[in-house]
């Protein structure tokens, strides 16, 4: 399974229990936001590299997983 089937009950407190060990490319995408008046709007997030500085860059072929 690639996604949770139910939402988390409460956000965890303290430090995260996992950390990225590699860097990877994130494609450009739209981010949905809501302004102070409750009106939705979108902003474009440019492609960027995500992960810790100095970690190896993960690159290679894209893989799609199909699960029932």
């Amino acid at each position: 399974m690639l996604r949770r089937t139910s939402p988390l009950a409460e956000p965890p407190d303290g430090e995260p229990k996992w950390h990225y060990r590699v860097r990877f490319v994130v494609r450009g995408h739209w981010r949905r936001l809501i302004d102070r008046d409750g009106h939705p709007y979108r902003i474009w997030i440019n492609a960027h590299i995500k992960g810790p500085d100095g970690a190896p860059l993960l690159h290679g072929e894209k893989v799609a997983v199909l699960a029932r």
Side-chain angles (χ1 to χ4, degrees), residues 41-60:
Y41 67 100
R42 300 184 314 167
I43 60 172
W44 179 253
I45 305 297
N46 289 321
H48 59 278
I49 295 177
K50 187 171 186 173
D53 292 335
L57 181 62
L58 184 65
H59 63 283

Side-chain angles (χ1 to χ4, degrees), residues 1 17 35 47 55:
M1 297 298 296
K17 296 183 181 180
D35 66 11

Side-chain angles (χ1 to χ4, degrees), residues 9 11 16 19 21 25 28 37 40 62-63 65:
H19 299 280
R21 294 189 178 119
V25 176
D37 300 324
K62 291 183 181 179
V63 176
V65 176

